[in-house]
Amino acid sequence: MNSNERPFVPKGSHPIETGRYLIPTNEIVRMHNTVVQWIDNRSPGGMIYGRPRIGKSRAINYLMFDLPAEFGKNLPIFKMCCRQYNRPSESSFFEDLLNDVGHALPFSGKANLKRDRLFRFFLERAERAAQKRIIIFIDDAQRLHEIQYGWLMDIYNELDNAGVSMTVILVGQEELIHQRSSFIQSRKAQIIGRFMIHEYKFTGIKSVSDMTTCLSGYDHLSEYPEGSGWSFTRYFFPEAFEKGYRLENCAQDLFEVITTLRNEAGLKKSADIPMQYFTLAVEYALRRFGINGEDVGWLNRAHWKQAVINSGYIEAETYQDVV
């Protein structure tokens, strides 16, 4: 493909339009370094917690993509999304795990058969990779009940007896900290020792430097179609990009626009901007004002203000301040 010719992308299929892409952030890099240390030390587990929509789930996806570069491409790494159950059952728990890790037979059999199937699946993956380790991220982990930690511990112990170390990384909201406090009070040392010894608080965008790093990803670390040489910024603002304009140079303007809107809304807390609203604002700006939209040439503060308002960020923060 001629890198000087803007590639054809069917309408609605660009990652900016689908939202399916990964951009590294300062916070993801910090979390990555922490998780690498946990895994390198063969820690049994740790907690990553933060407010809703701060970007934790995207960070998990980024780590799942990036960690094999640290520990080998065959690293067995899985993700489970916790479902909400008022009365959790052992059968449903292992069924959900089997389904999320991609087992071919997640639903058949009784609870004990599902548990054995999961154990053998993890054991086979660990031995095939010659790593003798399993990594599993559990998203929305604040939904886990105490009894479910017990079932998870059973798998951990079975693998440990077979010479395989399992690192369980709990990812969830700040309720995780309260759960640990409850376990401490009720002397559930076995749960804390397995899964809650380490902790990391995940935050959003807090500074111009954080925002610069995020915006730089759209300029330099993104590319679509793959191999085309066209970053997201270049695709939506080809002429401006050719002249040297970059989104990373908009960081100061965007941060000040957000600060002004927060002040006008009476928001007193320090800014901790969730990635969900940040990416919605950037995507809106690229779609609405780029070459496929109004084709304004380049973005100014008025455009960023409209993008931030359209993202719903201020309304969400106002509600967060109230609760």
Side-chain angles (χ1 to χ4, degrees):
M1 182 180 294
N2 183 355
S3 63
N4 293 320
E5 181 180 343
R6 187 171 184 259
F8 170 75
V9 176
K11 183 177 176 61
S13 64
H14 192 280
I16 287 295
E17 296 168 312
T18 65
R20 299 183 65 84
Y21 60 92
L22 297 171
I23 294 291
T25 68
N26 286 341
E27 185 63 11
I28 287 178
V29 170
R30 288 189 286 266
M31 189 180 85
H32 168 273
N33 293 338
T34 299
V35 171
V36 165
Q37 186 175 14
W38 293 351
I39 296 173
D40 200 41
N41 293 337
R42 292 187 180 269
S43 298
M47 300 185 302
I48 297 171
Y49 66 94
R51 55 185 291 201
R53 296 173 296 279
I54 206 75
K56 300 184 296 297
S57 294
R58 284 198 178 202
I60 294 173
N61 293 336
Y62 188 87
L63 287 181
M64 292 183 69
F65 172 80
D66 194 61
L67 283 175
E70 297 275 349
F71 298 98
K73 64 180 182 179
N74 293 323
L75 174 71
I77 179 169
F78 305 100
K79 175 183 175 182
M80 174 192 180
C81 296
C82 284
R83 282 75 168 174
Q84 186 72 59
Y85 293 109
N86 291 327
R87 295 181 178 179
S89 73
E90 189 175 11
S91 181
S92 295
F93 179 72
F94 287 114
E95 186 174 290
D96 289 342
L97 262 171
L98 284 165
N99 189 47
D100 286 355
V101 302
H103 195 282
L105 296 171
F107 306 114
S108 63
K110 295 182 179 180
N112 63 324
L113 296 177
K114 292 174 182 176
R115 180 173 59 187
D116 184 65
R117 198 177 303 141
L118 181 67
F119 162 70
R120 295 185 184 282
F121 176 81
F122 280 161
L123 183 62
E124 185 271 333
R125 288 299 182 91
E127 291 179 341
R128 184 198 302 176
Q131 293 264 353
K132 289 294 183 178
R133 73 169 88 210
I134 291 288
I135 313 298
I136 181 165
F137 290 92
I138 300 185
D139 200 9
D140 279 327
Q142 75 278 354
R143 293 177 174 175
L144 285 174
H145 295 250
E146 179 181 331
I147 194 171
Q148 292 172 303
Y149 282 107
W151 298 329
L152 194 61
M153 201 180 310
D154 290 341
I155 293 293
Y156 175 92
N157 291 336
E158 288 184 56
L159 287 171
D160 187 56
N161 289 336
V164 174
S165 61
M166 181 168 76
T167 298
V168 178
I169 300 173
L170 307 171
V171 183
Q173 298 177 23
E174 295 186 351
E175 288 94 321
L176 275 174
I177 294 295
H178 305 316
Q179 286 180 353
R180 184 174 66 176
S181 297
S182 176
F183 290 149
I184 291 173
Q185 291 176 358
S186 57
R187 301 181 184 277
K188 302 295 182 181
Q190 69 277 18
I191 295 177
I192 298 167
R194 289 287 193 281
F195 309 121
M196 294 180 161
I197 286 292
H198 304 291
E199 65 174 81
Y200 183 88
K201 183 174 183 180
F202 191 88
T203 62
I205 298 170
K206 291 189 169 186
S207 66
V208 175
S209 173
D210 288 344
M211 191 161 285
T212 300
T213 299
C214 294
L215 291 173
S216 176
Y218 293 87
D219 297 329
H220 308 294
L221 301 179
S222 59
E223 184 183 56
Y224 193 82
E226 185 176 349
S228 67
W230 283 71
S231 70
F232 296 174
T233 308
R234 185 185 184 192
Y235 180 80
F236 285 91
F237 286 93
E239 292 185 10
F241 191 90
E242 184 68 23
K243 295 175 182 177
Y245 288 88
R246 299 292 185 270
L247 285 184
E248 63 185 343
N249 297 325
C250 296
Q252 186 71 44
D253 281 350
L254 178 53
F255 196 83
E256 290 180 3
V257 163
I258 290 174
T259 300
T260 299
L261 289 172
R262 287 179 60 88
N263 290 338
E264 291 174 354
L267 298 171
K268 306 299 183 184
K269 297 179 182 177
S270 299
D272 184 8
I273 305 164
M275 280 300 295
Q276 175 178 326
Y277 298 109
F278 169 78
T279 55
L280 284 173
V282 174
E283 290 160 9
Y284 179 90
L286 293 178
R287 293 194 318 269
R288 179 66 180 268
F289 303 119
I291 193 171
N292 290 349
E294 297 182 14
D295 196 12
V296 300
W298 191 239
L299 298 164
N300 59 34
R301 290 196 180 202
H303 300 132
W304 284 119
K305 180 178 180 180
Q306 186 174 334
V308 173
I309 291 173
N310 185 267
S311 74
Y313 167 67
I314 297 301
E315 288 85 352
E317 290 295 280
T318 301
Y319 174 76
Q320 185 75 21
D321 253 22
V322 170
V323 299

